[in-house]
Amino acid sequence: MAESLVASITDGLTNVIPAEVIIFIVSLMPILELRGGLIAASLLKVSWLYAFPICVIGNLLPLPFILQFIDKIFAVLKRTRLKKIVEHFEKKASAKSESVAKHRKLGLFVFVAVPLPGTGGWTGALVASALRIKLKDALPPIILGVLTAGIIMSVISYAIPALLW
């Protein structure tokens, strides 16, 4: 699913904005995040050395804001038509937080680092918020998790296709 969404975004924007901006935007997006940015970079033939820092920065940029303000944002959104969507995200974050709660920082790192659907920096930040892990305690394991996931995804997006072709 993520691959087809990334392909649609890259196809639609390729002649409109530079490839570097496309991969930055994709990396900023929830669900796609760094993993999607690396897939986009691979599709757009952007070199890994150039793409990796762009994707990491794009993925990490919103995380301090999520950790700091998500409770306030959700409280405001609950008073709008988006209440059910917010409750859905809270429920998902709460369910995922159970697997992280036991080990806290290590659990948060592993949760973010393993490149599976439903994991990543955004969800890690939501889980940390649900567990009431402070910004200064949550950000380091999330950053390390994003970097680790980025390396894993780089191998998947760049090295394996290069070996196959």
Side-chain angles (χ1 to χ4, degrees), residues 42-103:
S42 179
L43 291 172
L44 295 168
K45 308 280 191 265
V46 176
S47 80
W48 179 85
L49 285 174
Y50 197 59
F52 189 77
I54 294 171
C55 293
V56 168
I57 292 167
N59 193 192
L60 293 177
L61 192 64
L63 301 183
F65 300 102
I66 295 168
L67 288 165
Q68 195 68 31
F69 301 114
I70 197 65
D71 291 335
K72 293 174 181 131
I73 293 168
F74 277 1
V76 169
L77 291 175
K78 282 183 182 177
R79 289 181 260 154
T80 70
R81 290 185 222 158
L82 301 174
K83 180 180 179 177
K84 289 187 189 262
I85 294 170
V86 171
E87 289 172 346
H88 170 75
F89 281 122
E90 285 179 329
K91 186 177 177 182
K92 282 186 94 169
S94 180
K96 292 182 183 283
S97 69
E98 293 172 15
S99 63
V100 174
K102 184 176 179 184
H103 300 288

Side-chain angles (χ1 to χ4, degrees), residues 48 153-165:
W48 179 85
M153 282 306 299
S154 295
V155 169
I156 294 168
S157 298
Y158 283 87
I160 292 174
L163 292 173
L164 295 175
W165 308 119

Side-chain angles (χ1 to χ4, degrees), residues 92-150:
K92 282 186 94 169
S94 180
K96 292 182 183 283
S97 69
E98 293 172 15
S99 63
V100 174
K102 184 176 179 184
H103 300 288
R104 310 279 290 174
K105 292 179 189 175
L106 179 62
L108 195 53
F109 161 74
V110 171
F111 179 79
V112 174
V114 177
L116 294 172
T119 66
W122 278 74
T123 310
L126 289 173
V127 166
S129 180
L131 291 172
R132 303 288 183 240
I133 300 174
K134 294 180 179 167
L135 174 70
K136 68 180 179 71
D137 294 327
L139 212 49
I142 292 173
I143 290 171
L144 288 174
V146 166
L147 290 170
T148 303

